Amino acid sequence: MNTPTPPGAPTPLPRAVWWVLGGSLLLSLVIACAFPLLDPDEGRNAQVAAEMAASGDLVIPHLAGVPYLDKPPALFAMAAAAIRVLGPTPLAARLPAMLALLVTLFLLARASVSVAAPGHAWRTTAFTAFAPLCAILGAYVIFDMPLTACVTTVWTLLALELERGPSRSRRALMFLAVGLGILVKGPVMLAWTLGGSLASALLLRSRAPLRWLAWAPGWLLALGLPGVWFAAALQRHPEYLRYAFVEESFERMTSTTFHRDQPWWFVPAVFVAGALPWSLATPWRAPRTRATRVATGFVLFAAVFFQLSHSKLVTYLLPAFPALAWWAAEAWLEARRSPRVLLALLAFTPLVLVAGYGPIRQQAARTSGVGLAQAIRAAGSPPYRFEDCYSPGTDYLLGRRSPVVSASGHPLTSNYVVRYRDVLRARGLWTLVDSSAAAPPARIVVRETRRAGDPPPGAREILRDGRFTAWLLPAARP
């Protein structure tokens, strides 16, 4: 006999939703444990988190000992906490993204059982969890999945507000999500918040989706903690004001400085490919309910904003995918499509990963630091240094912070480091080494294979692949 839900209590999630959450967690664990960290993005972010875990400095992230202010510290801090518990493993570095995906799915399900038709909750969570882009980035060391959880918090709670009326606690959660999103990826969270709410208002032909933005106490919550962190960062690095708002945000969107402009078809192609096969199988129609129009408003914002932006990456569109899945779930329900067909479509991503496991893993290994780490371990794990190159993934896997010989800072793939290296030098914060002669003693020397040059005198080659060549130097005579 079923026990009735007490008045005012949250509606229990359907059993199918819990199956989706469990399946999503299992898929994320498999991906996180089966594939190596990819350089430069995953290896770099993981190594920044490892250095934060070692130093305890939660204000200024560091890479190879140099201040790394390309992104705010929230993702690094979350990964650092996991690394302290699990050690420098791929799973530890990927855990924040995995948890962010689960939070996103839970928020979708909770909102759906409150405002959508029966059967919508498991469909929208399943569409999200098994969309190829969400499944992969749900086990990837990158900022966009935690950002997705923050954006999803905003629009799902906004949908609930439009159905049930304003609530201080709900609005507080919305603004806290805005603040966390800023600490994860900077001012772009404000763009998602304001732009998505405005697009929702246009689709609903109502000002209601904008009213929550006028709640003044909420902005204290949203900007309070990021403001404290930003002030602390500016005290140590005053140039960060210009870098964060002008160079990293405004110039990224309005100029081709970052070389990330894409053709006109890029955004629709990401939406289609990133949600295969349901993006093509869905009987798309105009959104019917208020909640779906809110979701569609955030999809519309993403399409317009990133179409106009001169900086486009596939990952930038990830926060729109849960909203796209919500819209698709409504369309499937209205068309009365068989759940069996949907379940068959959801097998697409796991089957692709299983069928292509060998080639995918080989390709991942070519762009990871695993091969170099294995070669260094096989040589007895002696001290090593990088010369005009860097594999942060290798440092991460070996639990090291190795010397990097570079006068420019380019091997760190950090725009902030390259642009402000003279400032960092003047402050005594430049930990890279200008020349091999000035570098600390090392038994292993690593260079880029394409410009490796002559081996060091008496050295024995221990690795040569598409990225790096490493030599073991003779042991010093006593």
Side-chain angles (χ1 to χ4, degrees):
M1 181 175 180
N2 293 330
T3 304
T5 302
T11 305
L13 296 182
R15 182 179 299 177
V17 168
W18 293 109
W19 279 105
V20 172
L21 292 176
S24 174
L25 177 59
L26 178 61
L27 182 59
S28 294
L29 284 170
V30 170
I31 294 173
C33 296
F35 298 100
L37 297 173
L38 305 185
D39 278 344
D41 289 341
E42 280 200 293
R44 180 184 61 237
N45 295 335
Q47 178 61 14
V48 172
E51 293 189 28
M52 181 176 284
S55 70
D57 186 351
L58 300 179
V59 176
I60 304 297
H62 291 78
L63 178 62
V66 181
Y68 179 83
L69 284 167
D70 292 62
K71 290 292 185 290
L75 174 68
F76 305 129
M78 290 185 283
I83 291 166
R84 285 195 170 187
V85 175
L86 301 176
T89 62
L91 177 61
R94 288 166 170 163
L95 193 58
M98 296 166 60
L99 295 178
L101 176 56
L102 286 178
V103 169
T104 299
L105 298 177
F106 181 82
L107 290 167
L108 287 171
R110 176 54 58 202
S112 179
V113 298
S114 301
V115 301
H120 182 274
W122 77 264
R123 286 173 172 83
T124 189
T125 53
F127 280 145
T128 303
F130 296 101
L133 189 63
C134 294
I136 293 170
L137 295 185
Y140 199 87
V141 193
I142 205 164
F143 310 88
D144 301 276
M145 186 52 76
L147 179 68
T148 297
C150 296
V151 172
T152 303
T153 301
V154 169
W155 71 258
T156 54
L157 294 182
L158 176 57
L160 286 173
E161 173 165 314
L162 296 182
E163 294 292 336
R164 297 181 173 180
S167 161
R168 288 185 178 181
S169 59
R170 190 182 301 121
R171 285 187 172 181
L173 288 174
M174 294 165 74
F175 279 103
L176 285 173
V178 174
L180 179 57
I182 294 172
L183 284 172
V184 167
K185 206 175 178 184
V188 72
M189 181 65 199
L190 293 174
W192 277 101
T193 300
L194 301 176
S197 299
L198 178 60
S200 300
L202 292 174
L203 289 180
L204 286 167
R205 299 181 182 179
S206 167
R207 295 180 181 178
L210 300 175
R211 289 180 185 138
W212 75 282
L213 296 171
W215 192 51
W219 288 108
L220 294 177
L221 293 173
L223 302 179
L225 186 57
V228 170
W229 168 77
F230 192 72
L234 282 182
Q235 188 175 21
R236 294 163 63 176
H237 298 278
E239 73 284 352
Y240 185 58
L241 178 65
R242 172 179 171 79
Y243 181 76
F245 289 99
V246 178
E247 299 174 26
E248 180 68 10
S249 299
F250 182 75
E251 289 182 2
R252 180 185 288 269
M253 292 188 303
T254 60
S255 73
T256 58
T257 304
F258 289 81
H259 307 290
R260 291 177 177 174
D261 207 2
Q262 300 290 346
W264 65 267
W265 47 263
F266 177 81
V267 171
V270 171
F271 279 136
V272 172
L276 284 174
W278 58 261
S279 57
L280 298 178
T282 296
W284 295 102
R285 58 193 67 193
R288 182 178 57 83
T289 65
R290 276 183 294 190
T292 305
R293 289 177 186 176
V294 170
T296 307
F298 278 73
V299 175
L300 177 62
F301 159 75
V304 173
F305 182 79
F306 289 105
Q307 189 68 39
L308 296 176
S309 173
H310 286 282
S311 181
K312 301 180 182 72
L313 289 178
V314 170
T315 57
Y316 292 176
L317 291 161
L318 180 67
F321 274 69
L324 186 68
W326 182 288
W327 183 10
E330 181 184 271
W332 275 73
L333 279 173
E334 290 193 352
R336 298 182 179 180
R337 288 285 182 91
S338 169
R340 294 181 180 179
V341 175
L342 190 153
L343 290 172
L345 294 176
L346 296 178
F348 174 80
T349 299
L351 288 176
V352 168
L353 290 173
V354 170
Y357 172 75
I360 294 173
R361 182 173 172 78
Q362 289 177 4
Q363 180 59 35
R366 293 190 192 102
T367 58
S368 77
V370 169
L372 180 56
Q374 291 173 341
I376 292 172
R377 285 197 185 105
S381 297
Y384 59 94
R385 69 170 179 259
F386 292 95
E387 296 186 352
D388 288 317
C389 66
Y390 186 46
S391 172
T394 299
D395 263 4
Y396 176 75
L397 293 173
L398 295 176
R400 304 274 191 90
R401 201 198 87 190
S402 58
V404 178
V405 177
S406 173
S408 67
H410 282 99
L412 301 191
T413 63
S414 164
N415 293 307
Y416 172 80
V417 169
V418 171
R419 294 185 181 193
Y420 290 96
R421 59 176 174 260
D422 292 336
V423 173
L424 295 173
R425 285 179 186 273
R427 293 189 189 131
L429 299 175
W430 187 257
T431 58
L432 306 190
V433 186
D434 286 345
S435 66
S436 300
R443 286 288 315 282
I444 294 177
V445 171
V446 183
R447 298 174 187 163
E448 265 191 298
T449 295
R450 62 189 178 93
R451 47 180 185 170
D454 296 329
R460 175 171 63 87
E461 185 175 290
I462 60 172
L463 173 76
R464 180 177 290 268
D465 61 19
R467 296 177 65 207
F468 299 113
T469 297
W471 293 279
L472 179 66
L473 304 182
R477 295 181 180 180

